[in-house]
Amino acid sequence: QVQLVESGGGLVQAGGSLRLSCAVSGRTFSSYTMGWFRQAPGKEREFVAAITWSGSSTSYADSVKGRFTISRDNAKDTVYLQMNSLKPEDSAVYYCAVRKSVLLTTTPGTYNYWGQGTQVTVSS
C-alpha cells in the first residue's frame, strides 16, 4: 500500500521560510511525478508545484513562482518544497501527491495517491 507522509509544516511569520518534506513508501511502480497542492478553509484544493521523475522539469503556480522551490531525492523517495518569503495568503494545509506517470500535470484529479496534509500558517 502506497503511503505518503508530509512533515515540516508549522507557524511562521510573514517573510519567513519553511521546508516541507514528503516521503513515499510501499510503491510497486517505478517512475512517477510528484506534486504539492494546498487547500485553505472554504477554498478548493489548488496546485502549488510539481516535478518529474528525473527532476528535469518543474512547474509552479504563478502565486509561488520565485518564492517556492520543489526538488526530489529519488534514492530516498522524498520530495521537498522549500518555501521562502512566505505570505499570510500562503496559509493552508499542504498536501503532497504522486502521479503514476512521467508526464507532469497540475490537475489534482490526475494524481493517484495523497498524503494526509501538513498545516502551514503564516502570521502577518
Side-chain angles (χ1 to χ4, degrees):
Q1 182 175 353
V2 178
Q3 289 188 321
L4 284 68
V5 179
E6 299 105 333
S7 60
L11 173 64
V12 64
Q13 289 188 334
S17 298
L18 283 175
R19 189 193 194 205
L20 305 183
S21 299
C22 174
V24 181
S25 63
R27 67 179 177 91
T28 58
F29 46 88
S30 54
S31 307
Y32 57 95
T33 294
M34 293 199 73
W36 286 97
F37 296 80
R38 66 188 182 188
Q39 188 167 17
K43 295 187 176 182
E44 293 187 352
R45 190 168 299 188
E46 64 174 5
F47 170 76
V48 176
I51 186 168
T52 55
W53 169 257
S54 66
S56 61
S57 182
T58 58
S59 179
Y60 296 92
D62 288 342
S63 59
V64 306
K65 278 182 182 176
R67 300 188 298 122
F68 290 12
T69 302
I70 189 171
S71 61
R72 66 189 295 168
D73 183 340
N74 289 340
K76 296 181 179 180
D77 263 338
T78 300
V79 66
Y80 306 96
L81 186 67
Q82 178 67 43
M83 305 186 295
N84 299 328
S85 302
L86 283 161
K87 305 175 181 180
E89 50 265 42
D90 293 318
S91 297
V93 177
Y94 282 69
Y95 299 90
C96 67
V98 164
R99 170 173 158 80
K100 293 192 296 182
S101 169
V102 298
L103 299 179
L104 188 156
T105 67
T106 63
T107 307
T110 62
Y111 284 74
N112 304 101
Y113 303 98
W114 293 82
Q116 80 289 349
T118 185
Q119 177 70 48
V120 171
T121 304
V122 184
S123 63
S124 57

